[in-house]
Amino acid sequence: MNDTLSHGLDQIRNIGISAHIDSGKTTLTERILYLTKRIHRIHEVKGKDGVGATMDSMELEKERGITIASAATYCEWKGHRINIIDTPGHVDFTIEVERALRVLDGAILVLCAVGGVQSQSITVDHQMKRYGVPCIAFVNKCDRNGADPFQVIDQMKKKLGHNAVAMQVPIGLEAAHEGVVDLISMKAIYFDGDFGETLRIEEIPESLLESASKKREEMIDAAAMFSNELTEAVLEEREIPEGLVREAIRRGTLQRALTPVFMGSAYKNRGVQPLLDAVVGFLPSPLDVKNEALDIDHDEKPVILSPETNAPMVALAFKLEEGKYGQLSYIRVYQGQLKKGDTVVNVRTRQKVKIGRIVRMHADQMEDIDKLSAGHIGAFFGIDCASGDTFNSPGSSLSMTSMFIPQPVISLAVKPKDLQSENNMTKALHRFSKEDPTFKAFTNTETGETIISGMGELHLDIYLERMRREYKADVLAGEPHVAYRETITRTSEFDYTHKKQTGGAGQFGRIVGYMEPVEEEFIFENRVTGGAIPTQYIPACEKGFRSCLEKGPWLKYPVTGIKVVVTDGAFHSVDSSDMAFAAAARGAFHQAYTQAHPVLHEPIMKVVIETPPEFQGNVMGSLTKRRGIIIGTHDVTTMTVIEAQVPLAEMFGYSTTLRSMTQGKAQFTMEFIAYKQVPKGVMDEIAKKNEKNTKTGT
């Protein structure tokens, strides 16, 4: 199949659908696929048919009714090819959103008409800003009690800083929601048929005419900022052509200076077709986006990529999966074209690989294609690579910039029940670490335990369940461990001499200097003058200091926030060596560290809880008990939203506590925000516990 080239680049849209958990992303994607005839039957996220939504193909996703892994698909709408990635809303799977936005040109930000701008909406918006992704917004669930799309638009302005502009006015809200008024054409749109597939366009109801005219004026004022022609037409009070308004709105959207807002109810099949028109009309094609790569062979000089098919090929592998036929690597082609049978180079490893099979994805289904050209998203099979690797045509060395990867904040010790499980667990951990950059697995050299680390309890829980199901690895999980960090609070000097005399050549190295606290993880500065330490030994000094950061001399946690400055030293013409100076650096570190008043830092989480108002007091009390600081509360229709900052160490098992406290009616999200100093009382408890574990060997 060669139809990847049948669409011009201006007819391609690569979009992501992102939002807070339970805002209706997957439901919206299901409606888009149905209305574009990619699927012939709608399945619900938590449907009674037990099938689950098309994009939630993993068994765990169907059972829990949440999206865990981002899934790719494509559809056709009015002569345009739309490549879609449906991403998870839960913050534990934030890397899935991160890597999707890295390769997409535009996005739909889905917001709940009742919940409005929620905590994860803010996180997703930050990610869009990081990669400069233009977006349109869809205010979903306008049929729900308490729906207020214009309040959501106000929240977008205040909380997200968006220049959000309503493109529609709802015809009725809550149970009375029937359709929308399109403010560009000034027509009422109703969605008839069993699945809203038939559009009925009528005149605007008399009762809505005044508010629709007012909102249209606001929209045209906002759009006029991006078009002199439109401004002139407004000032001269001429009739304004629809095309002129659309062109101005598109210009503002592409600059991320305007966010068009659409509304409807995906579940009730209302508002989806106008949203698809907006994707085609306002979001960028690959031609509208400037993609940059770094030339590795020329000091990482930035190079602007061309979407021309005859240019040297550049593609980014942004997601990996274990498929039935080996590793499945999702790729976005940025320049040139990738053909079946081509030999390409992995820029990171410099290895040449031959492309055997290229496919186009539709959730967990795929179809073979012969080539994939610039601007398209697809996948290839059986090529060993890592997430974030760039592939080039031979002779080229352009690398795409890497994506932001947050550090894990929670760890568990895992233990297989038998030998078969041990082998399967090893395979699973290797696979998961490769697929997900936020999931880490390593062996604790002292205890021999296998430790897995991730972004939260749910994140690790899902991987443990996948180990059991997909790899038949029967594993036991220990208590969660928090990723504490040690750091220093004051400047401390060192003057250390490493001297060792054995039968043969001895070892000698002296290092003088100081360490001080800094914001960065680690800084090493060489201020040695007069050759007190020869230049060739300075890297060994740095290496020696760095080796002490993995495990602090105090509570054995990783050390961060230290600047080491070497000012003086001494060497021996015969006995000095790299090994001697590395050992001297380690000695100097230990000498100064305890004098620098070390403290412990712990991960602090932003916790957002939605609860019925009658449980507000109990919930706030439960957070305070867990050393939480309440940042604020506000009411959203029938629910109270509580925002707090709570140490991760105090949040284990909180979902069970919250459920029992609120009769299962409350829900919460949690994400890492910062490291903060542990209070002295808690620090003493941790020190005692560590001492006890060391004695018992656990």
Side-chain angles (χ1 to χ4, degrees):
M1 305 208 27
N2 291 325
D3 67 340
T4 61
L5 300 179
S6 63
H7 294 82
L9 278 173
D10 60 331
Q11 296 169 312
I12 305 294
R13 300 289 180 273
N14 292 311
I15 66 160
I17 299 183
S18 302
H20 182 87
I21 190 166
D22 209 23
S23 294
K25 300 176 299 302
T26 304
T27 303
L28 175 62
T29 310
E30 195 79 0
R31 297 323 188 254
I32 287 172
L33 294 178
Y34 178 80
L35 291 168
T36 56
K37 297 183 168 53
R38 283 295 290 134
I39 57 173
H40 305 294
R41 185 181 166 200
I42 289 174
H43 298 293
E44 301 307 344
V45 173
K46 294 180 182 174
K48 291 174 186 172
D49 58 7
V51 176
T54 306
M55 301 304 278
D56 287 348
S57 55
M58 200 188 285
E59 280 302 316
L60 277 166
E61 293 180 314
K62 290 173 183 172
E63 282 173 26
R64 296 184 183 223
I66 60 169
T67 302
I68 292 167
S70 54
T73 188
Y74 65 93
C75 59
E76 304 267 341
W77 184 254
K78 296 187 177 176
H80 290 71
R81 159 69 53 82
I82 305 174
N83 294 312
I84 302 172
I85 297 185
D86 174 34
T87 60
H90 202 288
V91 72
D92 281 23
F93 309 108
T94 191
I95 189 66
E96 293 289 337
V97 186
E98 198 76 41
R99 56 182 159 203
L101 290 173
R102 172 67 186 81
V103 297
L104 294 170
D105 301 324
I108 301 173
L109 177 63
V110 183
L111 299 159
C112 173
V114 182
V117 174
Q118 293 160 286
S119 59
Q120 193 60 13
S121 322
I122 296 168
T123 304
V124 166
D125 184 62
H126 282 321
Q127 291 171 313
M128 286 183 194
K129 276 182 188 150
R130 187 178 292 137
Y131 299 111
V133 176
C135 75
I136 57 177
F138 181 66
V139 180
N140 193 20
K141 303 190 180 184
C142 285
D143 59 314
R144 285 254 314 266
N145 285 344
D148 186 349
F150 293 110
Q151 186 182 325
V152 178
I153 290 173
D154 283 344
Q155 288 179 2
M156 285 181 72
K157 291 174 181 173
K158 287 173 191 163
K159 291 188 179 181
L160 302 180
H162 278 241
N163 180 15
V165 179
M167 305 301 294
Q168 296 169 336
V169 169
I171 302 173
L173 283 171
E174 302 178 344
H177 180 56
E178 292 180 82
V180 293
V181 171
D182 175 29
L183 297 178
I184 295 182
S185 64
M186 284 301 274
K187 296 285 181 189
I189 306 172
Y190 299 90
F191 304 87
D192 296 339
D194 293 339
F195 298 106
E197 65 271 31
T198 309
L199 295 190
R200 176 163 49 93
I201 296 170
E202 294 187 357
E203 293 304 314
I204 300 169
E206 198 70 38
S207 59
L208 281 176
L209 205 49
E210 191 182 331
S211 66
S213 300
K214 189 179 168 211
K215 291 292 176 191
R216 176 181 162 85
E217 271 181 43
E218 287 175 17
M219 176 199 71
I220 287 174
D221 283 349
M225 298 294 291
F226 307 97
S227 167
N228 292 335
E229 220 179 313
L230 182 56
T231 306
E232 284 170 22
V234 172
L235 292 172
E236 291 168 14
E237 296 183 359
R238 282 190 275 122
E239 192 176 320
I240 298 167
E242 282 184 30
L244 197 58
V245 180
R246 291 184 201 281
E247 190 185 316
I249 289 166
R250 176 176 169 80
R251 208 172 290 158
T253 307
L254 296 187
Q255 292 171 26
R256 280 184 51 85
L258 186 144
T259 306
V261 182
F262 297 82
M263 43 197 80
S265 165
Y267 184 69
K268 293 282 177 69
N269 314 301
R270 294 178 195 137
V272 181
Q273 295 96 322
L275 183 67
L276 281 166
D277 289 341
V279 167
V280 165
F282 302 138
L283 287 181
S285 75
L287 292 173
D288 298 311
V289 180
K290 187 172 86 171
N291 289 303
E292 197 175 80
L294 304 175
D295 191 338
I296 302 300
D297 290 347
H298 295 88
D299 295 329
E300 298 194 352
K301 182 183 158 196
V303 175
I304 303 297
L305 298 177
S306 154
E308 297 301 320
T309 52
N310 55 3
M313 197 279 302
V314 179
L316 176 72
F318 64 94
K319 175 178 160 64
L320 313 178
E321 264 177 28
E322 184 66 56
K324 285 180 273 190
Y325 311 103
Q327 180 174 297
L328 178 68
S329 308
Y330 287 74
I331 51 163
R332 158 85 193 253
V333 180
Y334 284 94
Q335 179 174 283
Q337 64 181 24
L338 185 69
K339 293 182 191 165
K340 193 174 164 184
D342 275 358
T343 297
V344 296
V345 178
N346 182 329
V347 177
R348 179 179 61 87
T349 62
R350 302 282 178 166
Q351 285 184 329
K352 286 188 177 181
V353 289
K354 190 172 182 182
I355 304 296
R357 187 179 174 200
I358 306 174
V359 294
R360 193 166 49 201
M361 301 303 299
H362 175 48
D364 60 340
Q365 299 162 25
M366 58 193 75
E367 56 185 271
D368 284 273
I369 51 176
D370 291 337
K371 52 191 164 190
L372 202 63
S373 57
H376 284 271
I377 291 170
F380 50 51
F381 264 113
I383 289 170
D384 188 37
C385 65
S387 183
D389 279 357
T390 305
F391 290 88
N392 282 188
S393 299
S396 180
S397 59
L398 299 178
S399 176
M400 301 301 294
T401 52
S402 59
M403 66 193 88
F404 171 77
I405 297 169
Q407 288 303 307
V409 292
I410 180 173
S411 302
L412 279 178
V414 289
K415 192 171 152 189
K417 282 189 177 174
D418 50 47
L419 185 63
Q420 181 63 42
S421 290
E422 186 175 354
N423 294 336
N424 292 345
M425 183 184 87
T426 305
K427 282 183 202 166
L429 295 180
H430 176 69
R431 182 76 241 152
F432 298 155
S433 302
K434 205 171 178 186
E435 283 181 11
D436 182 351
T438 61
F439 177 84
K440 305 269 192 274
F442 61 93
T443 304
N444 184 319
T445 47
E446 282 187 9
T447 62
E449 287 179 314
T450 301
I451 308 291
I452 59 172
S453 304
M455 301 306 295
E457 278 187 285
L458 178 64
H459 192 208
L460 296 184
D461 186 31
I462 292 293
Y463 277 119
L464 287 171
E465 195 57 41
R466 283 185 66 189
M467 257 185 250
R468 292 179 190 118
R469 292 187 188 198
E470 295 171 30
Y471 287 87
K472 305 290 182 280
D474 204 356
V475 293
L476 297 167
E479 279 186 26
H481 296 290
V482 177
Y484 291 108
R485 298 277 185 271
E486 290 183 29
T487 191
I488 57 172
T489 55
R490 62 174 62 173
T491 302
S492 172
E493 295 181 350
F494 52 80
D495 181 346
Y496 188 86
T497 304
H498 174 71
K499 199 172 184 179
K500 198 173 179 185
Q501 201 63 45
T502 53
Q507 289 183 25
F508 181 87
R510 179 179 170 224
I511 296 181
V512 180
Y514 62 91
M515 62 168 63
E516 62 184 5
V518 286
E519 289 293 320
E520 291 84 353
E521 276 189 35
F522 177 71
I523 299 171
F524 176 82
E525 197 173 312
N526 172 27
R527 288 194 198 159
V528 176
T529 54
I533 300 175
T535 312
Q536 70 262 32
Y537 296 135
I538 296 297
C541 295
E542 182 176 354
K543 192 177 174 185
F545 282 115
R546 278 189 185 277
S547 68
C548 298
L549 301 176
E550 289 173 23
K551 187 185 282 187
W554 177 42
L555 291 175
K556 310 294 183 247
Y557 289 109
V559 178
T560 186
I562 285 190
K563 179 179 180 179
V564 170
V565 180
V566 179
T567 57
D568 200 0
F571 73 102
H572 188 280
S573 55
V574 177
D575 291 349
S576 286
S577 63
D578 280 351
M579 192 193 297
F581 272 101
R586 288 193 293 274
F589 187 93
H590 283 251
Q591 184 190 67
Y593 189 75
T594 47
Q595 307 302 315
H597 283 235
V599 293
L600 201 60
H601 279 193
E602 63 182 342
I604 303 294
M605 312 303 281
K606 176 185 171 188
V607 178
V608 180
I609 299 170
E610 290 183 28
T611 177
E614 63 265 30
F615 303 114
Q616 181 180 346
N618 289 349
V619 170
M620 287 171 77
S622 74
L623 292 171
T624 310
K625 269 185 203 165
R626 291 167 184 261
R627 296 196 283 127
I629 297 167
I630 308 295
I631 302 299
T633 63
H634 62 274
D635 293 332
V636 178
T637 63
T638 58
M639 300 292 266
T640 296
V641 177
I642 301 166
E643 285 190 32
Q645 292 182 3
V646 192
L648 175 63
E650 305 290 344
M651 286 302 293
F652 297 131
Y654 188 65
S655 51
T656 310
T657 307
L658 186 66
R659 268 200 302 271
S660 59
M661 193 193 310
T662 62
Q663 300 165 15
K665 293 176 183 174
Q667 61 173 17
F668 80 100
T669 59
M670 180 170 83
E671 65 182 298
F672 168 76
I673 49 165
Y675 269 94
K676 286 188 183 169
Q677 191 172 327
V678 176
K680 189 170 186 323
V682 179
M683 196 159 71
D684 292 342
E685 275 177 43
I686 294 165
K688 271 183 208 165
K689 192 177 174 186
N690 276 15
E691 202 177 316
K692 188 180 166 189
N693 288 347
T694 307
K695 281 176 186 170
T696 56
T698 58

